[in-house]
Amino acid sequence: MSSTANGKNGTWRNWGGNVSARPAREVAPASVDELAAAVRRAAEDGLTVKAVGAGHSFTSIAATDGVLIRPQLLTGIRDIDRENMTVTVEAGTPLKRLNVALAREGLSLTNMGDIMEQTVSGATSTGTHGTGRDSGSIAAQIKGLELVTADGSVLNCSEKENPDVFAAARIGLGALGIVTAITFAVEPVFLLTAREEPMPFDKVLSDFEELWAENEHFEFYWFPHTGSTNTKRNNRSAGPERPVPQLKSWIEDEFLSNGVFQVANWVGRAVPATIPAIAQISSKALSARTYTDIPYKVFTSPRRVRFVEMEYAVPRAAVVGALRELKAMVDRTGLRVSFPVEVRTAPADDIALSTASGRDSAYIAVHMFQGTPFQRYFTAAERIFTAHEGRPHWGKIHTRDAEYFSRVYPRFGEFTALRDRLDPDRRFQNDYLRRVLGA
């Protein structure tokens, strides 16, 4: 899964295969001091610097022709503080390793996204989230962070220390410095009961407010070209643990969700006319199931079928209307879409450039199978999302720029002013940041 897999002749590629870059040099620092020295040396050589995680962003947010920092040696848990219920981890730690290590210690994050291949700093810097009525993104669970800034100094940030930096750097896009460690709030490990069941598209939309209000974590997948969805409700449970049996888990999560789905997408890519028929089958492949397990085994699942993705956060009140428009657009345009549309929610948070900053939000994610033309579909979807003042996920495909963001983020100016202060020479600049934050 790592981005190093494609490191032929010095070229870096992301997981989705749609972004590549040729850095002047790569550095894998083994300590914060080594990383700070690498930043200072880049400045002497007049090079820009970017840290890259697992390459799971579909945007060029981590691409650089300067110095590429790989954090694979900056991994592991630094400290578990049971009194304050926090855990401090090195920035390059994969979420998977964090989740497994926490479970061993009888601890868990409150909420998480649906994959765990990313590094903690890559996931938080781009605003990775799951779904939650009351609990927000992974970054919203940050209690402190350590940041190497452009002059090579190390800043500790929290609500008490450098609070202005803390307000922005939890989702910092790599623009304010390089995150070297993160302190997360944790809680004693708990059980979730997952209830997955098919539901007609129109019923989900008409009952959306109730489904959201009655469940701690509600999400659904709609299969274009069908009137069908798969809904997922995750709620805390007193137990007992009832995991999905291994064989059943393999059939549903690997064989159907990855294996058969991969073949179906190959067929669809070769013969687009078959996609609506395949969608009907896909939407009925997964039957209803209920199981109870620890959080990361419920929230996350393997994603082996490669795709490209666009995701927008719209005000929660606008989601039903936006989805009706999306369905009408797909039906009207004759587009062939083989991947389901994923819908999740998040409560308002207080992070300057969080997609849920200051407003209760719902997320609509559109995907296309890797290697299929996605421009027409994504452009038409983006037109719908932006009409609702949508905010794109920082790590997923979009065409928005600083001028747009200054309108949909009330605290945009606060972030760019902080960037001017922390990185006046634009040491951490790249083409993507130039577009989304302005020069």
Side-chain angles (χ1 to χ4, degrees), residues 61-377:
I61 190 164
T64 184
D65 55 8
V67 179
L68 190 69
I69 305 272
R70 291 193 177 276
Q72 64 257 36
L73 300 177
L74 297 172
T75 61
I77 292 182
R78 269 193 201 178
D79 177 56
I80 294 175
D81 179 345
R82 288 182 189 273
E83 197 179 325
N84 294 306
M85 288 307 276
T86 61
V87 60
T88 302
V89 281
E90 306 270 342
T93 310
L95 284 169
K96 189 175 213 158
R97 274 187 56 189
L98 172 63
N99 288 337
V100 171
L102 286 176
R104 256 204 317 266
E105 297 284 344
L107 301 168
S108 176
L109 292 172
T110 300
N111 199 356
M112 54 193 82
D114 55 12
I115 61 167
M116 49 181 182
E117 265 61 42
Q118 315 100 308
T119 60
V120 292
S121 58
T124 54
S125 296
T126 54
T128 296
H129 61 90
T131 190
R133 182 189 59 204
D134 315 302
S135 53
S137 69
I138 305 179
Q141 299 168 68
I142 294 178
K143 289 290 177 202
L145 51 85
E146 182 182 79
L147 190 70
V148 171
T149 56
D151 60 4
S153 57
V154 181
L155 279 189
N156 285 301
C157 314
S158 66
E159 280 175 357
K160 293 190 178 72
E161 220 177 337
N162 298 301
D164 54 334
V165 180
F166 183 68
R170 282 173 285 169
I171 298 180
L173 319 184
L176 305 175
I178 295 177
V179 175
T180 47
I182 300 176
T183 300
F184 291 105
V186 290
E187 56 176 304
V189 74
F190 53 94
L191 292 173
L192 285 171
T193 292
R195 189 171 148 204
E196 300 175 7
E197 64 176 331
M199 195 180 285
F201 181 75
D202 290 332
K203 183 167 171 55
V204 173
L205 295 198
S206 62
D207 296 355
F208 183 79
E209 274 303 304
E210 278 156 70
L211 288 162
W212 169 81
E214 287 168 9
N215 295 283
E216 290 171 74
H217 308 274
F218 173 67
E219 65 184 299
F220 69 93
Y221 295 84
W222 163 57
F223 293 83
H225 316 297
T226 79
S228 311
T229 76
N230 261 337
T231 61
K232 291 180 80 168
R233 287 171 252 198
N234 298 330
N235 289 290
R236 293 194 184 217
S237 159
E241 248 179 83
R242 284 210 182 90
V244 182
Q246 228 167 346
L247 178 63
K248 194 168 157 59
S249 165
W250 180 82
I251 290 170
E252 290 169 347
D253 298 331
E254 286 294 350
F255 183 65
L256 291 175
S257 298
N258 285 303
V260 173
F261 192 53
Q262 174 87 27
V263 174
N265 273 283
W266 281 333
V267 173
R269 187 167 66 186
V271 191
T274 60
I275 286 175
I278 291 170
Q280 292 289 348
I281 298 164
S282 293
S283 73
K284 294 181 174 60
L286 295 169
S287 52
R289 63 178 185 175
T290 301
Y291 53 95
T292 301
D293 215 329
I294 61 172
Y296 83 85
K297 294 185 178 178
V298 173
F299 284 132
T300 70
S301 51
R303 289 268 193 285
R304 305 196 204 288
V305 183
R306 304 243 170 172
F307 53 82
V308 289
E309 180 178 359
M310 166 183 280
E311 181 182 57
Y312 266 76
V314 297
R316 203 183 72 237
V319 69
V320 169
L323 283 164
R324 289 199 198 284
E325 290 165 45
L326 189 67
K327 187 176 193 300
M329 179 273 289
V330 170
D331 294 345
R332 187 179 66 240
T333 53
L335 282 163
R336 295 287 177 250
V337 180
S338 63
F339 251 85
V341 172
E342 184 180 19
V343 181
R344 296 176 287 176
T345 69
D349 64 39
D350 64 346
I351 305 169
L353 291 189
S354 164
T355 42
S357 184
R359 73 183 190 194
D360 289 343
S361 301
Y363 295 95
I364 306 174
V366 296
H367 312 70
M368 273 292 216
F369 184 48
Q370 191 178 23
T372 45
F374 60 84
Q375 256 80 13
R376 244 183 90 207
Y377 177 37

